[in-house]
Amino acid sequence: MENNLKASELVLADDGSLYHIHLTDGHIADTVFLVGDPGRVAMFEELFETVEYKTSNREISSVTGVYKGKRITAISTGMGTDNIDIVVNELDAAVNIDLETRMPRASHRTLNLIRIGTSGALHADIPVAGFVASEYALGLDGLLNFYAHDEALFEKEMNDAFARHANLPPQFQKTYLVKSSSSLLNALAFDCVKGITATACGFYGPQGRQLRLHTAIHDINGILSSFSCNGHRITNFEMETSAIYGLSKLLGHNALTVCLVIANRVTGKFLNDYHPQMKQLITTMLDRVVAMQ
């Protein structure tokens, strides 16, 4: 049988694993926690009762182990939607493509992809050190524009409302808006602040920060924070969620982001040492994943 996927398309490492993540199907649990910082993977490992497998390549580190009887994988993505494009596509390839024949598997395996990250709040009433769950993700990054997709999978009405509200200059990428997994949201984030998370393609200009360069959009934070549609407001800014939600929707996986708020862009407050709160968030989400069984 002729291979569907060429070596230049489905790129593998010397050991036959996916080129960047260095994982195969057997290494990956059904529940995968995505974190930006490679050092944060160690926080999961410390909580595991047993460790089954771990590997590291560049900024991508992963560990699979058992927490309170449940098999869990934690993997670092690095920062930005470009890295998410690599990690999510390769996780999906590992579980849904036979890496030897380079053919899609006959049955689809669905992953629960849960991002645990940090974020900046866009409203004064969202406290620093609090947790925000992304019920929706607004993509300002443009990544999903490179993939053919059915618009019905995304939140077209809400995205169109944002486009009218923001009236961004024509040089900016077309935005997209994607809903989280309702089942994960209800099971894991029932007591979190919920809203729309705006995903930017950078940390400085794309999030309205000005150092020595002026931004092309005046008061992007004001534009975002003043938007509301059907009772939903844009609560926070970060750099990964829209790509996780968009790719998960297209590939048939469940996705949710819960972020620790370390900055409030309205009040100017910033949480420098957030490691205790991050450990609390990780432990809380792990316990709730176990309770889903």
Side-chain angles (χ1 to χ4, degrees), residues 266-280:
V266 179
T267 65
K269 292 182 179 179
F270 186 83
L271 183 65
N272 285 296
D273 181 12
Y274 56 83
H275 291 90
Q277 291 86 353
M278 178 55 68
K279 186 172 182 179
Q280 178 190 355

Side-chain angles (χ1 to χ4, degrees), residues 51-291:
V51 172
E52 174 188 313
Y53 185 82
K54 57 190 293 187
T55 187
S56 182
N57 179 42
R58 301 183 186 181
E59 68 264 54
I60 302 173
S61 297
S62 64
V63 61
T64 295
V66 174
Y67 178 82
K68 295 186 178 179
K70 185 168 181 68
R71 191 168 182 252
I72 300 284
T73 295
I75 184 169
S76 62
T77 63
M79 294 182 288
T81 56
D82 50 348
N83 280 10
I84 294 299
D85 183 58
I86 292 170
V87 172
V88 172
N89 270 297
E90 291 196 3
L91 284 170
D92 176 77
V95 301
N96 287 312
I97 295 174
D98 186 316
L99 301 184
E100 293 184 1
T101 66
R102 296 179 174 272
M103 301 286 287
R105 297 181 187 274
S107 59
H108 179 272
R109 183 178 169 197
T110 300
L111 300 175
N112 291 325
L113 302 178
I114 304 165
R115 164 167 151 73
I116 300 295
T118 57
S119 185
L122 290 169
H123 296 271
D125 63 305
I126 300 176
V128 168
F131 302 151
V132 174
S134 307
E135 186 169 4
Y136 298 89
L138 170 66
L140 304 172
D141 54 285
L143 176 68
L144 265 290
N145 297 331
F146 289 89
Y147 292 95
H149 60 270
D150 182 355
E151 293 286 346
L153 292 173
F154 296 167
E155 305 299 316
K156 186 176 186 305
E157 177 187 351
M158 194 180 293
N159 190 55
D160 288 347
F162 176 76
R164 293 191 297 270
H165 169 81
N167 192 28
L168 297 177
Q171 71 264 30
F172 288 88
Q173 292 274 9
K174 178 184 177 184
T175 62
Y176 60 97
L177 214 146
V178 196
K179 195 175 189 302
S180 66
S181 162
S182 296
S183 60
L184 290 180
L185 182 74
N186 293 333
L188 304 182
F190 49 84
D191 56 354
C192 297
V193 174
K194 301 177 186 67
I196 305 168
T197 292
T199 297
C201 60
F203 182 79
Y204 287 97
Q207 294 189 41
R209 292 182 173 94
Q210 296 187 123
L211 300 183
R212 293 204 319 116
L213 295 174
H214 294 290
T215 57
I217 304 175
H218 176 66
D219 193 20
I220 182 65
N221 292 351
I223 291 171
L224 295 174
S225 62
S226 60
F227 175 71
S228 178
C229 182
N230 299 327
H232 301 288
R233 63 177 181 170
I234 298 175
T235 48
N236 58 318
F237 231 155
E238 50 85 89
M239 294 170 57
E240 289 83 26
T241 296
S242 62
I244 295 171
Y245 283 15
L247 292 173
S248 294
K249 188 76 71 173
L250 298 182
L251 291 167
H253 302 293
N254 304 314
L256 178 69
T257 289
V258 182
C259 279
L260 168 65
V261 176
I262 63 169
N264 188 297
R265 301 298 301 280
V266 179
T267 65
K269 292 182 179 179
F270 186 83
L271 183 65
N272 285 296
D273 181 12
Y274 56 83
H275 291 90
Q277 291 86 353
M278 178 55 68
K279 186 172 182 179
Q280 178 190 355
L281 175 57
I282 289 172
T283 303
T284 299
M285 292 299 115
L286 282 170
D287 286 339
R288 291 179 182 180
V289 163
V290 171

Side-chain angles (χ1 to χ4, degrees), residues 3-38:
N3 293 339
N4 269 357
L5 297 168
K6 298 176 182 178
S8 60
E9 309 304 306
L10 178 63
V11 184
L12 302 179
D14 291 341
D15 62 359
S17 64
L18 270 299
Y19 184 72
H20 296 94
I21 65 174
H22 284 197
L23 298 173
T24 62
D25 182 38
H27 298 137
I28 301 168
D30 290 336
T31 297
V32 181
F33 281 90
L34 306 173
V35 296
D37 182 358

